[in-house]
Amino acid sequence: MTAHEKNLIYGRMSYVQFFQALADETRLCILSLLQREGEMTVGDMVKALGVPQSRVSRHLAVLRDAGLVQMRRDAQWVHYRVSEDLSDWQREVLAAFMRAQQRACQASDAPTLDRLSLNTSSNPS
């Protein structure tokens, strides 16, 4: 049983687990992408972030176990989105992190999320 499943059973998520899940730049970028795009596949995120698939999958597992993202299967595709089950305080904290992340990206020479060209239709039409 994952930590998220235990939290659902007991109706709580620890503050520590929540903030630990946010304490990584790649996970913050993934959350920013998901908030902006709504729903994405791992392939979409790999393309947008320019990092290996294994890295994206590993960070998605942390976010999923913390209850921050949800997944939906569609044939062979797995779509991820920000969890709809977040409490009000979690949504407020996440929004503040996303604002800070965006400002940090804009202040640095690193590629900003706004400059990423996304084509979220990785499955053939």
Side-chain angles (χ1 to χ4, degrees), residues 21-118:
L22 296 178
D24 182 89
E25 186 174 2
T26 300
R27 291 193 290 269
L28 288 174
C29 286
I30 289 170
L31 287 168
S32 291
L33 286 169
L34 292 175
Q35 282 204 317
R36 190 179 73 198
E37 300 298 320
E39 207 173 69
M40 297 179 76
T41 65
V42 173
D44 295 333
M45 290 180 248
V46 166
K47 183 178 176 183
L49 297 171
V51 297
Q53 179 270 328
S54 59
R55 184 172 170 189
V56 171
S57 293
R58 180 170 37 92
H59 287 294
L60 280 169
V62 171
L63 293 170
R64 192 176 55 247
D65 288 346
L68 291 168
V69 298
Q70 295 173 316
M71 58 184 251
R72 173 183 66 84
R73 289 200 180 274
D74 180 23
Q76 79 263 26
W77 304 102
V78 178
H79 300 266
Y80 289 88
R81 67 181 179 276
V82 174
S83 178
E84 298 168 357
D85 299 330
L86 297 178
S87 67
D88 289 341
W89 74 264
Q90 291 167 322
R91 288 184 191 285
E92 290 174 25
V93 169
L94 190 56
F97 266 91
M98 295 303 98
R99 286 189 302 272
Q101 173 75 4
Q102 195 64 21
R103 282 194 300 272
C105 286
Q106 289 171 350
S108 74
D109 290 334
T112 68
L113 294 175
D114 288 335
R115 285 189 239 148
L116 294 172
S117 167
L118 294 177

Side-chain angles (χ1 to χ4, degrees), residues 13-24:
M13 174 192 292
S14 79
Y15 290 97
V16 173
Q17 183 184 14
F18 179 78
F19 285 107
Q20 283 176 338
L22 296 178
D24 182 89

